[in-house]
Amino acid sequence: MENCLFCKIIAGDIPSAKVYEDENTFAFRDIAPQAPTHVLVVPKKHVSSVAACDELDDQTLAACLKACKKVSELEGLTNGFRVVSNCGEDGCQSVPHLHFHVLGGRKLTDSMA
Ligand code: AMP
């Protein structure tokens, strides 16, 4: 999608630190990491957020979660990790392309909100 930051990253028009890629997903390091591992997993097809996930085919949606698991393995997060997807204004989403934060590498805080 034109003018979407993450679409430009997927296309290689904006550089990123790629961690993983498959047919349906792309994963790269967050530019402002909040944990030792902070990777963003995105579907290659543009959809704005979880609120629009019914615009994605089930295979791609499932591929996103499987990519999160793959990232956890690649990053050696054997003691656990967190997957977060912010959605919309109240969810503090800042980039309107569906993405899953994979966070780990230390004991995370109890707070979810
Ligand atoms: P959210 O606030 O949930 O929409 O998450 C968007 C994330 O994208 C934030 O954690 C940002 O640090 C991250 N981000 C923004 N621009 C870039 C970029 N060029 N490369 C990697 N991560 C980015």
Side-chain angles (χ1 to χ4, degrees):
M1 188 190 183
E2 219 178 316
N3 288 328
C4 170
L5 172 64
F6 288 173
C7 284
K8 288 178 181 170
I9 285 176
I10 294 162
D13 296 337
I14 291 176
S16 69
K18 183 170 91 170
V19 174
Y20 174 74
E21 180 176 12
D22 62 31
E23 186 186 345
N24 295 307
T25 72
F26 192 85
F28 55 100
R29 297 197 188 282
D30 195 293
I31 203 167
Q34 296 188 33
T37 288
H38 187 170
V39 173
L40 302 173
V41 172
V42 305
K44 289 183 174 175
K45 179 175 184 240
H46 180 92
V47 292
S48 58
S49 73
V50 171
C53 71
D54 49 5
E55 295 170 20
L56 275 185
D57 60 276
D58 290 353
Q59 187 186 345
T60 301
L61 201 49
C64 288
L65 278 186
K66 289 183 177 182
C68 291
K69 180 200 170 195
K70 184 71 182 171
V71 165
S72 78
E73 292 170 350
L74 292 170
E75 293 290 304
L77 304 180
T78 53
N79 206 39
F81 58 95
R82 181 173 289 158
V83 176
V84 175
S85 188
N86 296 324
C87 181
E89 192 175 338
D90 281 2
C92 297
Q93 182 181 10
S94 62
V95 179
H97 181 127
L98 175 64
H99 53 281
F100 298 87
H101 299 254
V102 179
L103 298 146
R106 65 164 164 77
K107 177 82 170 172
L108 301 170
T109 63
D110 282 342
S111 172
M112 288 286 289

